[in-house]
Amino acid sequence: MRSPFPGMDPYLEHPSLWPDVHNSLIAAIRDNLSPRLAPNYYVRLERRTYLLSPDDLTFVGRPDVTVISAPASEPRRARPLAEVGVVEVILPMLEEVGENYLEVHETATGRVVTVMELLSPANKLYAKGREEYELKRLEIVRSRTNLVEIDLLRAGRAMPIEGRAVESDYGILVSRGAKRPRAHLYPFNLRDAIPTFSLPLLPGDEEPPVDLGAIFHALYERARYDLSLDYSQPPVPPVRDEDVTWAWERIER
């Protein structure tokens, strides 16, 4: 079954499903690009991790994490240590959460030519994760490495850019190292198709088009995401008021 939406499916933004969508889509983009870039370039999946507390995990979309709560007790009062003995306590635990991104390498030298990021709740909503991601983003921007940043999440603040302010549900940023600080932003909304963009490589090399919409919809059908989605309920996060009727009409077709 194909997604009922022409572009991004807002139901796939649900925090419980997004980790699978995120890593599957990144892998699908790699599989699409690799044969077209060979033999001059190769594409590799890389992974970053965040150490999050149970509260943070719930915030970025891991509600299945067990949180141990202390039972309610009477107001604390001082007791002689001799009466206390050995006390059982609970230590705060951190869990590792990982996400994938892509690196395009020049075959002859092995150097990284382009980094492609697909934003996630961990680096868009979680304060520490966002800080870490923005620092990495700044390192790339200060280098000659190209950056492609794909934002398919309506929740949270868009990553910082300067110039003409554009408000949109989603966006694709393409920043070529040789042309900074100028970059190209492809903004699009829920009702729009996902734009096709050119993958930046080394200056002078032909840039292959990346039909992200086609890759996304092929993944939707291949992964059978329709079996995990309840289209009878509103999506999480909810769509804008002006899109509610339009979204229901798409679903009921």
Side-chain angles (χ1 to χ4, degrees), residues 207-221:
E207 298 184 347
V210 181
D211 189 344
L212 185 59
I215 297 172
F216 169 81
H217 284 290
L219 171 64
Y220 181 99
E221 295 186 57

Side-chain angles (χ1 to χ4, degrees), residues 6-19:
M8 179 58 189
D9 189 319
Y11 286 81
L12 293 181
E13 298 175 59
H14 194 288
S16 65
L17 187 56
W18 180 254

Side-chain angles (χ1 to χ4, degrees), residues 31-99:
D31 293 344
N32 177 274
L33 288 176
S34 289
R36 296 196 286 145
L37 294 180
N40 295 330
Y41 298 92
Y42 60 87
V43 188
R44 292 293 177 260
L45 280 171
E46 299 294 336
R47 189 166 180 84
R48 75 166 58 84
T49 58
Y50 301 96
L51 289 175
L52 305 182
S53 69
D55 287 343
D56 294 327
L57 286 164
T58 302
F59 181 62
V60 301
R62 292 287 298 279
D64 56 333
V65 175
T66 301
V67 180
I68 302 176
S69 301
S73 59
E74 297 179 357
R76 298 174 63 182
R77 58 185 179 84
R79 294 172 57 189
L81 290 182
E83 299 178 15
V84 174
V86 178
V87 180
E88 182 177 295
V89 297
I90 297 174
L91 296 178
M93 300 291 291
L94 297 178
E95 183 165 336
E96 187 175 273
V97 174
E99 62 188 18

Side-chain angles (χ1 to χ4, degrees), residues 213-231:
I215 297 172
F216 169 81
H217 284 290
L219 171 64
Y220 181 99
E221 295 186 57
R222 190 166 62 250
R224 289 305 307 266
Y225 282 127
D226 60 297
L227 301 179
S228 302
L229 302 175
D230 184 358
Y231 284 115

Side-chain angles (χ1 to χ4, degrees), residues 12-251:
L12 293 181
E13 298 175 59
H14 194 288
S16 65
L17 187 56
W18 180 254
D20 181 85
V21 176
H22 181 283
N23 290 329
S24 297
L25 183 55
I26 280 289
I29 296 171
R30 186 271 314 272
D31 293 344
N32 177 274
L33 288 176
S34 289
R36 296 196 286 145
L37 294 180
N40 295 330
Y41 298 92
Y42 60 87
V43 188
R44 292 293 177 260
L45 280 171
E46 299 294 336
R47 189 166 180 84
R48 75 166 58 84
T49 58
Y50 301 96
L51 289 175
L52 305 182
S53 69
D55 287 343
D56 294 327
L57 286 164
T58 302
F59 181 62
V60 301
R62 292 287 298 279
D64 56 333
V65 175
T66 301
V67 180
I68 302 176
S69 301
S73 59
E74 297 179 357
R76 298 174 63 182
R77 58 185 179 84
R79 294 172 57 189
L81 290 182
E83 299 178 15
V84 174
V86 178
V87 180
E88 182 177 295
V89 297
I90 297 174
L91 296 178
M93 300 291 291
L94 297 178
E95 183 165 336
E96 187 175 273
V97 174
E99 62 188 18
N100 295 333
Y101 61 96
L102 293 182
E103 289 184 349
V104 178
H105 295 251
E106 183 186 27
T107 302
T109 63
R111 68 169 170 147
V112 178
V113 172
T114 304
V115 173
M116 181 180 293
E117 296 277 0
L118 177 60
L119 298 183
S120 72
N123 53 36
K124 193 177 179 188
L125 298 174
Y126 170 55
K128 191 174 186 303
R130 185 181 178 102
E131 179 183 358
E132 291 177 7
Y133 174 77
E134 287 190 0
L135 286 174
K136 180 195 173 181
R137 186 182 192 245
L138 185 59
E139 288 178 4
I140 295 174
V141 169
R142 286 175 172 170
S143 73
R144 301 288 285 183
T145 304
N146 305 309
L147 172 66
V148 176
E149 186 177 82
I150 302 170
D151 187 357
L152 298 181
L153 294 173
R154 288 168 293 123
R157 294 179 293 114
M159 288 296 163
I161 57 173
E162 296 181 1
R164 185 164 61 93
V166 177
E167 291 189 7
S168 62
D169 294 329
Y170 312 108
I172 301 171
L173 178 72
V174 179
S175 173
R176 292 169 175 82
K179 296 186 178 180
R180 289 196 183 104
R182 293 179 176 82
H184 290 107
L185 176 66
Y186 300 76
F188 59 105
N189 290 319
L190 177 62
R191 303 189 190 202
D192 301 325
I194 300 175
T196 296
F197 62 93
S198 296
L199 180 73
L201 297 172
L202 291 175
D205 284 355
E206 183 178 355
E207 298 184 347
V210 181
D211 189 344
L212 185 59
I215 297 172
F216 169 81
H217 284 290
L219 171 64
Y220 181 99
E221 295 186 57
R222 190 166 62 250
R224 289 305 307 266
Y225 282 127
D226 60 297
L227 301 179
S228 302
L229 302 175
D230 184 358
Y231 284 115
S232 68
Q233 301 297 319
V236 177
V239 301
R240 293 177 298 184
D241 291 344
E242 58 266 34
D243 288 331
V244 171
T245 301
W246 176 86
W248 282 119
E249 290 174 349
R250 299 290 309 187
I251 292 169

